[in-house]
């Protein structure tokens, strides 16, 4: 491999302009792919659908799809109007017009509102079944009567009309095959139509679907706004650290090309960003920046010694190719381990981050040296002695206080493990927004005024047709519904029994009593035959062998929602013989998936250490040295989980990705140190070799840590809290990794005798 590397590097030096032209063509083609030339807008999209956040298969997903086909989807957009005088002829006319406008929009599958909800009225000669707003009330008194009738209907109170009668909502279901761009555009049109017709009435869009759409919009917005800030921050550190043009331009150019090619392939294969994969661009940039800095820094080390430019480039490549390649391989393997996830978004992130890492490696070893060869008027700057003094101090620390450094690392591990035991695993979409944000205020208002903004569905199944017309089965539904309403998170439950009770109130008022359960199956059948409409399909299948209870809850956090679901499942186990029940719903499945994926990220992270360790064993040809090299990489990850526990920041889908990102950088720094140590100890004593290794890595390690930590901190400027948490946690973990690399790792190498062990590895380099 070393001979192949030298031949490739020699070819670069011999024909730099030809190679540069080839890379430029690749970069331009990739850049063209990132633009939609019909609209001249970026081709990158954010997918707000739940598909990418759900498992590819499994019983839970099959149940959700079955309920959608037999009944209806619960993934709703909620358009709410609120006003003390909402129920007036003028406002109701505008509200009906909006509902009809939405219903006519292509891609809208179903609309529920008082404009479509059926009202059954019994007259002397006939029974009228028509929508509440089939005829607009003639005056204020008639409008108030309509309001009171809607509030008296158990199927609509708290769902289509608020409990206080001041608000009404339109629930919109969209076709499942809509693209993300189409869906976002439709919601924007609905918002504009609502605002234009509201005429002084407070109107708002809300619901889980709308929150996801807003997160998707802000994710893309933050990506375009914060990513340049992060790049600028890293370049600022490069300016201060290198103090020459090549140290700033070349890492930027190499990373830009690697990232452009990665994103071009990402979009060309039909992918769109989602809640997880949106972190891909900064991840690829972060990893690639570290690789490029090592190449420039090593070139400077040779160039300041008076070596000719081409020779300095070749010497730098010979020095860094092995550790950078080893780093890229281990980092790519760590990311690739995420591809084993059953969640598409996690799998995609792992695969594309792995590819981006390899492209960043290729760019660092080709674009940077070509730039060093072709840049005009390359200046020589003498390195300051301050760095030499710091190296001497660190080497002395490793010699005289190694045991204390190791004890400090052990103490960090213990404290971090104690903190990790306090971690909370939960994802709350609303926590992404500021407490005073309009979206959060509207969601809270909806949760309070109505029965709850988060839907759940409970499917009950019997053993035969007409099971849910029998008094025994309906009695079980009534008891379950009563128990559900006693749960503090639940605001309302709508069931087939409510539907039958409403028919009984209208068609047979003399049968109404305190017990809503019909006395016989025949009574239930007659009521359904005489008064039921297509609306009954919300609650029962055509054979009445299964029924659906629609639950409204205020539990927005995934931990709260899954805890409620577990309590419900325990209650469903008490159903009478011949009846089974299951909890489902898109919000619940997302919540369960997010928590499972978050826990799975921790498992995947541990699994990622195994192939990294295997690669280190193969390439170092020493299990002991591989384990020594792995320990400083594991400590920052343990510290990260400790930070989560002690600060109270929850482990969620976004923050769990910090560990994978930082692991790649920590591996980079540690591998560079041990490779340099192994090379130096072949010709120098242990103490001198330790100082030589530190001298070679301290500058690039410090520069990359400072640049990347500052770059991650810029994520605080985004609008989403999850991105800000990611940035702060990544920065803090990087700083911890840096401290460990400069203090703990040399001490570990000294005490464990790693330097002495490297003498036995002198033949490895020639064979790699």
């Amino acid at each position: 491999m070393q001979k192949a590397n030298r031949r490739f590097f020699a070819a670069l030096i011999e024909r730099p302009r030809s190679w540069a032209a080839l890379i430029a063509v690749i970069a331009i083609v990739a850049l063209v792919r990132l633009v939609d030339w019909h609209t001249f807008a970026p081709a990158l999209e954010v997918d707000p659908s739940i598909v990418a956040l759900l498992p590819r298969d499994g019983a839970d997903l099959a149940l959700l799809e079955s309920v959608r086909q037999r009944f209806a989807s619960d993934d709703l957009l909620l358009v709410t109007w609120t006003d003390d005088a909402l129920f007036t002829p003028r406002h109701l006319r505008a509200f009906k017009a909006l509902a009809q406008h939405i219903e006519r929009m292509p891609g809208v599958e179903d609309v529920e509102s008082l404009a479509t909800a059926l009202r059954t009225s019994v007259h002397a000669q006939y029974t009228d079944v028509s929508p509440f707003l089939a005829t607009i009330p003639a005056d204020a008194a008639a409008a108030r009567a309509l309001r009171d009738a809607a509030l008296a209907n158990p199927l609509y109170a708290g769902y289509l009309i608020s409990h206080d009668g001041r608000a009404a909502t339109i629930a919109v279901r969209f076709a499942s095959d809509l693209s993300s761009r189409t869906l976002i555009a439709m919601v924007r049109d609905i918002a504009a139509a609502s605002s234009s017709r509201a005429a002084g009435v407070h109107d708002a869009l809300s619901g889980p679907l709308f929150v996801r759409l807003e997160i998707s919009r802000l994710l893309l917005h933050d990506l375009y706004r914060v990513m340049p800030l992060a790049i600028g921050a890293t370049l600022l550190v490069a300016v201060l650290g290198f103090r020459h043009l090549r140290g700033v331009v070349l890492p930027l150019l190499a990373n830009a090309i690697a990232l452009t090619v990665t994103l071009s392939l990402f979009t060309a294969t039909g992918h769109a960003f989602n809640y997880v994969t949106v972190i891909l661009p900064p991840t690829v940039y972060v990893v690639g920046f570290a690789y490029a800095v090592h190449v420039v820094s090593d070139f400077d080390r040779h160039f300041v010694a008076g070596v000719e430019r081409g020779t300095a480039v070749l010497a730098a490549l010979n020095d860094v190719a092995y550790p950078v390649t080893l780093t890229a391989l281990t980092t790519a393997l760590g990311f690739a381990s995420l591809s084993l996830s059953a969640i598409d978004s996690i799998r995609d992130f792992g695969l594309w981050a792995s590819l981006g890492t390899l492209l960043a490696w290729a760019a660092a070893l080709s674009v940077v040296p070509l730039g060093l060869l072709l840049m005009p008027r390359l200046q020589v700057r003498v390195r300051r002695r301050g760095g030499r003094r710091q190296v001497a101090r660190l080497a002395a620390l490793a010699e005289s206080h190694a045991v204390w450094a190791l004890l400090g690392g052990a103490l960090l591990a213990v404290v971090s493990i104690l903190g990790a035991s306090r971690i909370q695993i939960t994802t709350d979409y609303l926590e992404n927004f500021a407490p005073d944000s309009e979206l959060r205020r509207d969601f809270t208002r909806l949760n309070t005024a109505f029965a709850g903004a988060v839907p759940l569905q409970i499917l009950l199944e019997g053993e035969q047709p007409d099971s849910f017309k029998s008094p025994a089965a309906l009695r079980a539904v009534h008891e379950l519904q009563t128990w559900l309403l006693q749960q503090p998170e639940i605001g309302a439950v709508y069931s087939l029994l409510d539907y039958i009770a409403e028919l009984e109130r209208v068609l047979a008022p003399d049968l109404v009593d305190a017990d809503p359960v019909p006395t016989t199956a025949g009574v239930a059948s007659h009521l359904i035959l005489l008064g039921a409409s297509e609306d009954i399909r919300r609650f029962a299948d055509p054979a009445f062998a299964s029924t659906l209870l629609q639950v409204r809850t205020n539990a927005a956090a995934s931990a709260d929602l899954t805890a409620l679901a577990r309590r419900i499942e325990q209650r469903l186990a008490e159903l009478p013989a011949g009846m089974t029940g299951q909890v489902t719903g898109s919000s619940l499945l997302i919540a369960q998936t997010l928590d499972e994926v978050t826990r799975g990220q921790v498992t995947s992270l541990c699994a990622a250490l195994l192939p990294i360790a295997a690669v280190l064993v193969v390439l170092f040809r020493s299990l002991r040295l591989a384990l020594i090299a792995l320990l400083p990489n594991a400590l920052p990850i343990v510290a990260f989980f400790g930070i989560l526990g002690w600060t109270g920041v929850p482990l969620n889908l976004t923050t769990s990705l910090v560990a994978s990102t930082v692991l790649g950088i920590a591996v980079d720094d540690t591998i560079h140190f041990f490779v340099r140590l192994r090379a130096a100890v072949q010709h120098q004593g242990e103490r001198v070799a330790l100082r030589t290794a530190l001298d070679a890595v301290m500058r690039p390690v410090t520069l990359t840590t400072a640049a990347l930590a500052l770059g991650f901190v810029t994520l605080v400027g985004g609008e989403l809290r999850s991105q800000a948490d990611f940035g702060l946690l990544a920065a803090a973990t990087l700083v911890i990794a840096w401290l460990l690399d400069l203090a703990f790792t040399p001490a570990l190498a000294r005490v464990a005798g790693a330097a002495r062990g490297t003498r036995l590895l002198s033949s490895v380099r020639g064979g790699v």
Side-chain angles (χ1 to χ4, degrees):
M1 179 176 177
Q2 189 179 28
K3 293 180 180 179
N5 284 341
R6 287 178 177 174
R7 286 196 298 268
F8 174 72
F9 297 150
L12 279 179
I13 294 174
E14 290 173 3
R15 304 180 62 185
R17 297 186 185 277
S18 299
W19 284 101
L22 176 62
I23 293 174
V25 170
I26 294 173
I28 291 172
V29 171
L31 187 60
V32 168
R33 296 281 310 183
L34 290 179
V35 178
D36 183 346
W37 294 103
H38 296 289
T39 61
F40 295 98
L44 298 173
E45 294 186 35
V46 173
D47 182 7
S49 69
I50 66 172
V51 176
L53 298 177
L54 296 180
R56 284 170 281 177
D57 50 27
D60 291 338
L61 183 60
L63 174 62
L64 179 64
E65 292 299 328
S66 174
V67 168
R68 284 181 170 181
Q69 292 174 6
R70 285 190 282 172
F71 301 95
S73 170
D74 67 337
D75 204 27
L76 304 172
L77 172 71
L78 303 177
V79 185
T80 305
W81 283 19
T82 306
D83 194 88
D84 290 334
L86 178 62
F87 282 85
T88 61
R90 180 169 66 92
H91 291 324
L92 291 177
R93 185 177 294 105
F95 186 78
K96 178 181 179 180
L98 174 61
Q100 291 175 335
H101 170 77
I102 296 174
E103 200 168 14
R104 290 192 297 266
M105 294 177 67
V108 171
E109 193 173 78
D110 183 43
V111 174
E112 291 182 75
S113 71
L114 293 179
T116 58
L118 297 179
R119 178 184 184 183
T120 303
S121 303
V122 178
H123 302 274
Q125 302 296 326
Y126 65 94
T127 298
D128 178 38
V129 180
S130 60
F132 276 84
L133 295 181
T135 302
I136 300 300
D139 52 35
R144 288 193 296 272
L146 183 145
R147 177 198 62 193
D148 294 342
L151 285 171
N153 191 314
L155 298 174
Y156 306 130
Y159 176 39
L160 297 181
I161 181 173
S162 64
H163 293 298
D164 59 8
R166 296 180 60 253
T169 193
I170 301 173
V172 186
R173 291 184 179 88
F174 297 95
S176 59
D177 59 350
L178 293 179
S179 68
S180 58
R181 181 171 293 182
T182 301
L183 186 59
I184 291 174
M186 290 182 65
V187 171
R188 185 168 55 245
D189 291 344
I190 290 173
S194 176
S195 179
S196 65
R197 289 174 170 82
V201 173
H202 180 271
D203 71 305
L205 273 61
S206 192
L209 173 62
F210 182 70
V211 174
R212 290 203 313 273
L213 286 171
E214 279 297 286
I215 289 177
S216 300
R217 182 183 66 82
L218 292 176
L219 282 174
L220 196 57
H221 179 262
D222 284 355
L223 180 63
Y224 288 133
R225 185 179 67 175
V226 176
M227 189 67 188
L229 292 177
I231 293 174
T234 58
L235 295 183
L236 176 62
V237 174
V239 169
L240 297 176
F242 284 114
R243 299 195 178 187
H244 52 60
L245 190 61
R246 60 183 177 273
V248 178
V249 173
L250 295 182
L252 173 62
L253 183 61
N255 286 320
I257 292 175
L259 186 56
T260 300
V261 174
T262 302
L263 296 181
S264 177
L265 293 173
F266 184 79
T267 56
T269 51
H271 289 83
F273 287 135
N274 55 48
Y275 197 68
V276 177
T277 55
V278 75
I279 208 70
L280 178 65
T283 299
V284 173
Y285 179 81
V286 159
V287 174
F289 187 86
Y291 298 162
V293 164
H294 276 289
V295 177
V296 175
S297 180
D298 212 85
F299 169 82
D300 284 353
R301 192 163 58 88
H302 291 283
F303 196 50
V304 298
V307 178
E308 186 270 332
R309 184 196 300 206
T311 304
V313 170
L314 186 59
L317 289 174
N318 286 332
D319 285 345
V320 302
Y322 175 63
V324 167
T325 301
L326 180 57
T327 296
L329 181 59
T330 53
T331 303
L333 281 174
F335 283 132
S337 67
L338 299 176
S339 65
L340 301 176
S341 173
I343 310 302
D344 286 342
S345 57
I346 296 294
R347 189 180 74 254
D348 289 344
F349 173 79
L351 290 174
W352 288 102
S354 181
L355 175 62
T357 297
L358 296 177
L359 289 173
W361 161 78
L365 295 182
S366 58
V367 175
V368 175
L370 287 173
L372 292 171
L373 290 169
L374 296 176
M375 286 186 71
R377 297 190 303 276
L378 218 58
Q379 295 180 349
V380 177
R381 292 187 181 273
V382 180
R383 294 178 62 183
R384 290 175 295 176
R385 295 181 179 178
R388 297 278 186 179
R389 288 196 296 269
Q390 295 301 325
V391 167
R393 291 172 184 172
L394 288 173
L397 177 65
E399 287 287 337
S400 59
H401 297 85
V403 174
W404 288 106
L406 295 184
L407 288 176
L411 179 61
L412 173 66
V414 171
V415 172
S416 298
I417 291 172
L418 290 175
S421 65
R422 303 160 55 95
I423 286 179
Q424 298 179 353
I425 300 179
T426 184
T427 297
D428 187 347
Y429 284 125
L430 291 180
E431 291 295 329
N432 271 299
F433 303 92
D436 59 346
S437 67
E438 184 178 2
L439 182 145
R440 197 161 176 179
R441 288 199 306 269
D442 290 338
F443 195 96
T444 303
R445 186 183 294 113
L446 182 68
N447 247 343
T448 303
F450 290 83
V454 180
L456 280 179
Q457 296 172 310
I458 301 175
L459 177 66
L460 302 182
E461 297 186 279
E463 294 182 326
Q464 58 190 12
D466 286 342
S467 290
F468 288 97
K469 290 181 179 178
S470 70
L474 292 175
R475 176 72 60 195
V477 171
H478 176 59
E479 292 174 354
L480 175 61
Q481 188 169 355
T482 302
W483 180 87
L484 289 169
L485 290 171
Q486 293 172 353
Q487 309 310 304
E489 305 96 330
I490 294 177
V493 181
Y494 306 98
S495 70
L496 175 63
L497 185 60
D498 293 325
Y499 196 96
I500 293 174
E502 179 63 13
L503 292 177
E504 184 180 65
R505 184 186 67 81
V506 174
L507 300 176
D510 55 313
L511 297 179
V512 175
D513 54 25
D515 187 358
V517 179
T519 55
T520 66
V523 171
S525 295
H526 279 85
L527 291 172
I528 292 170
L529 179 64
L530 291 174
S533 64
E534 282 298 315
D535 204 31
I536 199 173
R537 297 305 169 217
R538 291 171 52 198
F539 305 106
D541 68 340
F544 287 86
S546 61
T547 185
L548 191 72
L549 281 73
Q550 299 179 2
V551 179
R552 291 295 180 272
T553 173
N554 57 23
S558 61
D560 297 337
L561 200 57
T562 53
L564 174 61
R566 283 194 295 269
R567 290 207 310 273
I568 296 175
E569 288 168 352
Q570 292 172 357
R571 175 60 180 80
L572 293 178
E574 302 173 7
L575 290 172
M579 185 184 301
T580 59
Q582 294 174 283
V583 188
T584 187
S586 57
S587 295
L588 173 63
L589 195 52
I590 289 177
Q592 291 175 332
T593 300
L594 292 179
D595 285 355
E596 290 173 6
V597 167
T598 301
R599 292 184 175 91
Q601 288 291 83
V602 180
T603 304
S604 297
L605 186 65
C606 296
L609 291 173
L610 297 179
I612 291 175
V615 170
L616 292 175
V617 170
V618 171
L619 294 178
F620 281 144
R621 297 185 183 179
S622 168
L623 176 61
R624 182 167 65 89
L625 188 59
L627 294 178
I628 291 173
L630 196 62
L631 184 58
N633 299 317
L635 266 179
I637 308 306
V638 175
F640 159 71
F641 290 116
I643 292 173
L644 289 181
W646 290 116
T647 60
V649 176
L651 182 65
N652 55 43
L653 203 57
T654 303
T655 57
S656 66
L657 296 176
V658 171
S660 298
T661 303
V662 173
L663 179 61
I665 302 169
V667 166
D668 173 76
D669 297 340
T670 306
I671 287 176
H672 274 279
F673 171 78
F674 278 105
V675 168
R676 299 306 180 107
L677 179 63
R678 186 189 62 185
V681 81
Q682 297 177 32
H683 309 289
Q684 303 169 339
E686 290 182 24
R687 296 184 179 181
V688 178
L690 192 63
R691 183 174 300 183
T692 300
L694 284 170
D695 183 54
V697 302
M698 191 179 77
R699 186 183 185 218
V701 164
T702 302
L703 284 177
T704 54
T705 300
L708 302 181
L710 187 59
F712 277 126
V713 167
T714 61
L715 292 176
V716 175
E719 296 188 51
L720 295 177
R721 178 180 171 183
S722 61
Q723 302 299 298
D725 287 344
F726 177 90
L728 290 174
L729 289 167
T733 311
L734 280 173
V735 171
I736 292 173
W738 172 73
L739 292 172
L740 289 170
D741 281 326
L742 295 184
F744 179 83
T745 302
L748 181 65
R750 181 73 183 89
V751 172
R756 288 189 296 274
T758 55
R759 292 185 185 277
L760 303 177
L761 306 174
S762 58
S763 63
V764 176
R765 192 172 187 183
V768 176

